[in-house]
């Protein structure tokens, strides 16, 4: 049984738990697919936007823990400890990690904004990750490898729906097997 099964202008999408699907769609079709997918899957979802997606005046750690409150769960010591373990997986020095976690999102470089969105998605432990392909293309290779490893370890059953012009790098587990069916 599919976690996600929906029809859109270009055909049908069937995505199982742990599956990875990239579709090179844009514009209205992209918006429609994201909206339909988000409405179809209950519970926490991860979001990896190409731009934005963070509250500028909140620090990185606050942005990462904020979605837990949205789903009615007050961040506890366990989530804060997980956040620290995830930071360990980014291969930053201890001073770099401390500065990164305490920085307001509005002051971050594009690279650090993408890392923050990745950490926030990891903490949500989503059933579904919705991503714009541009998010992947602006990551440095080492960051992509580190984040891909963290997602594989902490969210192995999350299904991924990536929409946009560029296919994510091989380290994310996307295969040439295309889970689409023509209409």
């Amino acid at each position: 049984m599919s976690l996600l099964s929906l029809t859109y202008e270009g055909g049908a999408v069937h995505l199982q738990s742990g599956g990875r699907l990239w579709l090179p769609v844009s514009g209205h079709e992209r918006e429609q697919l994201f909206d339909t997918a988000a409405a179809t899957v209950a519970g926490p979802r991860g979001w990896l936007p190409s731009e934005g997606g963070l509250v500028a005046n909140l620090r990185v750690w606050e942005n990462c823990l904020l979605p837990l409150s949205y789903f009615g769960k007050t961040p506890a010591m366990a989530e804060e400890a997980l956040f620290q373990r995830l930071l360990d997986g980014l291969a930053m020095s201890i001073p770099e990690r401390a500065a990164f976690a305490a920085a307001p999102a509005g002051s971050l470089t594009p690279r650090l904004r993408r890392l923050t969105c990745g950490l926030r998605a990891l903490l949500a432990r989503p059933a579904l990750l919705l991503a714009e392909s541009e998010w992947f293309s602006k990551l440095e290779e080492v960051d992509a490898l580190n984040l891909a490893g963290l997602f594989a370890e902490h969210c192995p059953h999350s299904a991924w729906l990536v929409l946009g012009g560029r296919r994510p790098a091989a380290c994310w587990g996307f295969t040439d097997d295309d889970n689409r069916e023509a209409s």
Side-chain angles (χ1 to χ4, degrees), residues 21-23 133 136-137 160 162 166-174:
L21 179 61
W22 164 70
L23 296 172
S133 66
F136 297 91
S137 66
W160 289 69
V162 178
R166 295 192 57 182
R167 186 175 196 264
C171 69
W172 292 97
F174 288 83

Side-chain angles (χ1 to χ4, degrees), residues 22 28 31 46 64 70 105 110 126:
W22 164 70
H28 173 71
E31 274 182 48
C64 288
Y70 177 78

Side-chain angles (χ1 to χ4, degrees), residues 45-60 62-67 104-106 108-110 112-121 130 132 135:
R45 290 173 299 280
W47 170 240
L48 301 173
S50 62
E51 298 295 333
L54 301 172
V55 180
N57 64 335
L58 293 183
R59 293 173 285 201
V60 166
E62 293 169 317
N63 267 285
C64 288
L65 294 170
L66 183 64
L108 298 175
T109 64
L112 294 178
R113 281 194 299 271
R114 279 169 180 69
L115 289 176
T116 302
C117 289
L119 292 172
R120 181 184 60 198
L130 300 168
E132 297 179 15
W135 181 85

Side-chain angles (χ1 to χ4, degrees), residues 101-172:
S107 71
L108 298 175
T109 64
R111 171 188 172 250
L112 294 178
R113 281 194 299 271
R114 279 169 180 69
L115 289 176
T116 302
C117 289
L119 292 172
R120 181 184 60 198
L122 279 160
L123 282 165
R125 295 176 197 93
L128 176 65
L129 278 150
L130 300 168
E132 297 179 15
S133 66
E134 297 83 2
W135 181 85
F136 297 91
S137 66
K138 294 181 181 176
L139 284 174
E140 293 180 10
E141 186 175 347
V142 68
D143 296 329
L145 290 170
N146 289 333
L147 283 172
L150 289 170
F151 275 105
E153 179 183 349
H154 295 280
C155 301
H157 302 294
S158 295
W160 289 69
L161 179 60
V162 178
L163 304 179
R166 295 192 57 182
R167 186 175 196 264
C171 69
W172 292 97

